[in-house]
Amino acid sequence: MAQFRLQGSKVLAVSLTGDNVKAKNGSMVAYDGRMAFKKMSGGGEGIRGMVTRRLTGEQMTVMEVKGHGTCFFADRASEINLVHLQNDTLYVESSNVLCADGTLRTGTSFTGLRGASQGNGLFTTTIEGTGQAAIMSDGPAVVLRVSPQYPLTVDPGAYIAHQGNVSQSFQSGVNFRTFMGEGSGESFQIRFEGDGLVYVQPSERNTVGGEV
């Protein structure tokens, strides 16, 4: 299995010994040893995945990297966060995926109105199995715990990913910026309940539903 490690907070080093990883297309910045690169269709899910992603509007272009040596990945100086999966599923926005172990399966999952509020369709990317994945954030990501006693409400523009036995629902009518005395901003939130982790970033992507 590939070995992931961070070089600082914005470069990912992946050591390969004949195995492979799936990475965001164009994110390789350097490598040593012998590597082969292959562009994959449908987010690494083949023709069926390509059709699914076109229908759902979830965009993800990846490449397979295979060989012996170390490959370095980065993307627009984004912060990189390592996620360890143990027979688990990570739900993550496709634009925040940097790299995943080749043993992990990728796909798409229906997310309901949360996706619509972000203008990213009604689906999000799933990464499942046992292995490591690297996700990106605009600024250092914060990992928040969700428990049965303490549900979590998140601004959809700051949401990156979540994992665990967590359910999510879409809420409207509450505006975070209203509490701060500002007149515009998000009026949609995502409520997470159950037991798991939610990853958020300290800056917000633009969302279609922000001014509704």
Side-chain angles (χ1 to χ4, degrees):
M1 187 177 293
Q3 299 297 314
F4 288 48
R5 66 182 186 278
L6 291 178
Q7 303 286 292
S9 62
K10 299 181 180 180
V11 177
L12 172 70
V14 179
S15 298
L16 299 172
T17 55
D19 34 16
N20 68 288
V21 294
K22 289 183 284 189
K24 182 176 182 179
N25 198 42
S27 63
M28 187 276 295
V29 295
Y31 71 90
D32 59 39
R34 300 185 305 276
M35 298 288 172
F37 302 88
K38 177 182 177 182
K39 186 176 180 179
M40 305 179 73
S41 60
E45 302 144 46
I47 298 301
R48 184 176 181 179
M50 181 172 61
V51 173
T52 300
R53 288 184 179 276
R54 283 182 178 176
L55 290 174
T56 61
E58 180 73 357
Q59 301 298 318
M60 182 180 176
T61 305
V62 302
M63 60 182 177
E64 179 188 64
V65 183
K66 184 176 182 179
H68 293 77
T70 302
C71 198
F72 300 88
F73 301 96
D75 186 57
R76 294 173 295 181
S78 297
E79 298 282 336
I80 301 172
N81 313 272
L82 295 183
V83 179
H84 301 270
L85 297 176
Q86 185 67 41
N87 195 27
D88 193 8
T89 301
L90 177 71
Y91 298 84
V92 57
E93 297 300 308
S94 60
S95 60
N96 294 99
V97 178
L98 178 63
C99 187
D101 198 294
T103 60
L104 295 171
R105 301 178 299 278
T106 57
T108 54
S109 177
F110 181 72
T111 58
L113 293 174
R114 183 196 57 75
S117 73
Q118 292 186 205
N120 291 338
L122 298 177
F123 291 77
T124 195
T125 292
T126 59
I127 301 174
E128 58 183 323
T130 297
Q132 292 191 90
I135 61 177
M136 299 179 292
S137 58
D138 186 4
V142 177
V143 184
L144 303 174
R145 166 67 66 177
V146 180
S147 68
Q149 295 81 16
Y150 295 98
L152 180 70
T153 301
V154 175
D155 189 315
Y159 168 83
I160 301 172
H162 72 273
Q163 67 183 119
N165 186 22
V166 174
S167 64
Q168 57 179 329
S169 59
F170 178 83
Q171 294 184 328
S172 62
V174 178
N175 188 320
F176 284 143
R177 289 180 177 80
T178 298
F179 298 136
M180 302 301 293
E182 300 179 19
S184 64
E186 296 293 346
S187 57
F188 298 101
Q189 285 80 47
I190 318 166
R191 180 180 174 87
F192 292 94
E193 297 179 273
D195 187 9
L197 302 174
V198 177
Y199 299 78
V200 298
Q201 61 185 8
S203 64
E204 294 184 83
R205 63 175 68 84
N206 292 328
T207 63
V208 171
E211 299 301 326
V212 176

